Amino acid sequence: MSSLILLFGCLAIGILLQRVRDFPINSPLVLNQFIIYISLPALALYYIPDIKLDSTLLLPVGVAWICFTASALFFWTMGKIFGWSRKLVGCLILTAGLGNTSFIGFPVIEALYGAEGLKTAILIDQPGTFVVLSTLGIALAAVFSKGQPDVKAISKKILLFPPFIMFFLALLLNVLQYSFPNEVKDVFQRLGSTVTPLALVSVGMQVRIERRSKHWRFLALGLFFQLVLAPLLIYLLYVQVLGVRGELAQITIMEAAMAPMITASIVAASYGLKPRLANMMIGFGIPLSFLTLTIWYWLVRGI
């Protein structure tokens, strides 16, 4: 319950801060940069050195890669058919193709499936969603924001993306079987825990409810893909095709059904990919996802 209060409370705080003149106009940008340079790298150093690397990683890790690929194919095709701008297509791929598998996913999965379920959720998020955003996500944002793919520039952006650097450092520590002292891990955990409140306050400060906005139909389509089509795809592939059963199948489907990823929205906004739509995907997607997650939970609990 405290996690839900935090989510909605911080979103509401951000909306209220729009009326406080003491906050500079660029406050959301500053918050986003802190998340990218401090909070996310801290999370990588906290979780990844202790993850057990074996073949059981493949199914959970595959969720984010499958959903992001499907999102890219779906919205690129729709963009070609209807003549959408590159920035609109890029925004929808990023925000609808990556779920909030950690800051919403972790408390939801832990509440439904306990500590063992949380271990699976971490595998879906860190080597999965986190790495997809740090590689394919950054590459896509760079390409769709400028229109001309520059392999050297894109590679530089990926390699210098702070969470990406820390991910591979943490992975190296895992391979070397090095674990940080508890005191240091506690520091990483505390820094990493700032992602949710800061990101939601940032989103809240940028949310604008404009009844005549041209973004409403794109918002509806993006959320339909993220909250309905993505988990349906994982259900068909994992359960119907691969025959996966039990809690592993249930957790992978539930994680695929999470609200859009906050950090993906931040990346989309920072690259100029329809920032208002990116923030609407978070502002409306998070509350709506609790309804759709309830439906998915009742549908998959017998698997």
Side-chain angles (χ1 to χ4, degrees), residues 244-262:
V244 182
R245 293 291 187 273
E247 285 195 357
L248 177 60
Q250 296 174 31
I251 293 169
T252 53
I253 295 169
M254 290 292 291
E255 282 281 54
M258 293 296 163
M261 185 185 189
I262 296 172

Side-chain angles (χ1 to χ4, degrees), residues 11 32 87-96 98 100 141 199-200 202-204 206-208 213 215-216 218-220 222-223 259-286:
L11 195 59
N32 294 349
K87 289 187 176 182
L88 174 60
V89 174
C91 176
L92 288 171
I93 292 173
L94 268 176
T95 57
L98 291 168
N100 200 324
L200 286 169
S202 172
V203 168
Q206 298 172 81
V207 167
R208 302 287 190 276
S213 173
H215 295 317
W216 287 108
F218 301 119
L219 171 68
L223 291 180
M261 185 185 189
I262 296 172
T263 316
S265 170
I266 291 173
V267 170
S270 66
Y271 276 83
L273 302 178
K274 301 295 180 182
R276 288 192 177 183
L277 175 58
N279 287 307
M280 287 172 70
M281 286 286 287
I282 301 300
F284 290 92
I286 289 175

Side-chain angles (χ1 to χ4, degrees), residues 190-229:
R190 289 170 183 264
L191 288 173
S193 67
T194 62
V195 172
T196 300
L198 293 183
L200 286 169
V201 168
S202 172
V203 168
M205 294 179 75
Q206 298 172 81
V207 167
R208 302 287 190 276
I209 300 178
E210 302 172 8
R211 294 183 179 180
R212 296 184 180 180
S213 173
K214 62 183 179 180
H215 295 317
W216 287 108
R217 61 192 180 104
F218 301 119
L219 171 68
L221 182 62
L223 291 180
F224 178 71
F225 182 91
Q226 176 60 51
L227 303 178
V228 179
L229 295 184

Side-chain angles (χ1 to χ4, degrees), residues 24-262:
I25 296 176
N26 68 337
S27 293
L29 176 62
V30 174
L31 294 176
N32 294 349
Q33 291 300 95
F34 184 90
I35 291 167
I36 290 173
Y37 279 85
I38 305 297
S39 306
L40 288 175
L43 275 182
L45 292 172
Y46 178 73
Y47 281 115
I48 294 173
D50 296 327
I51 289 177
K52 182 180 179 182
L53 301 177
D54 56 35
S55 59
T56 60
L57 289 172
L58 296 179
L59 288 177
V61 170
V63 171
W65 296 89
I66 292 169
C67 291
F68 188 82
T69 301
S71 175
L73 292 173
F74 180 80
F75 289 111
W76 183 83
T77 302
M78 295 287 284
K80 285 293 184 182
I81 294 173
F82 295 105
W84 295 346
S85 69
R86 292 177 64 86
K87 289 187 176 182
L88 174 60
V89 174
C91 176
L92 288 171
I93 292 173
L94 268 176
T95 57
L98 291 168
N100 200 324
T101 51
S102 57
F103 312 119
I104 293 178
F106 287 177
V108 169
I109 296 302
E110 186 174 21
L112 296 177
Y113 300 99
E116 287 301 313
L118 183 59
K119 292 180 181 179
T120 301
I122 290 171
L123 295 179
I124 294 171
D125 180 73
Q126 292 294 303
T129 307
F130 188 84
V131 176
V132 173
L133 175 68
S134 301
T135 54
L136 298 182
I138 295 298
L140 182 140
V143 169
F144 278 79
S145 65
K146 295 184 178 180
Q148 293 295 329
D150 184 334
V151 175
K152 183 178 180 179
I154 292 172
S155 300
K156 184 177 179 180
K157 287 181 180 294
I158 293 173
L159 294 174
L160 296 180
F161 188 53
F164 182 78
I165 295 172
M166 287 302 104
F167 170 79
F168 275 97
L169 174 59
L171 190 62
L172 176 62
L173 294 175
N174 184 301
V175 173
L176 296 175
Q177 297 183 341
Y178 176 82
S179 182
F180 289 105
N182 290 334
E183 293 79 7
V184 176
K185 290 178 65 176
D186 185 57
V187 172
F188 291 147
Q189 193 274 332
R190 289 170 183 264
L191 288 173
S193 67
T194 62
V195 172
T196 300
L198 293 183
L200 286 169
V201 168
S202 172
V203 168
M205 294 179 75
Q206 298 172 81
V207 167
R208 302 287 190 276
I209 300 178
E210 302 172 8
R211 294 183 179 180
R212 296 184 180 180
S213 173
K214 62 183 179 180
H215 295 317
W216 287 108
R217 61 192 180 104
F218 301 119
L219 171 68
L221 182 62
L223 291 180
F224 178 71
F225 182 91
Q226 176 60 51
L227 303 178
V228 179
L229 295 184
L232 178 62
L233 174 62
I234 296 301
Y235 168 78
L236 293 175
L237 285 176
Y238 281 26
V239 178
Q240 298 299 323
V241 176
L242 298 178
V244 182
R245 293 291 187 273
E247 285 195 357
L248 177 60
Q250 296 174 31
I251 293 169
T252 53
I253 295 169
M254 290 292 291
E255 282 281 54
M258 293 296 163
M261 185 185 189
I262 296 172

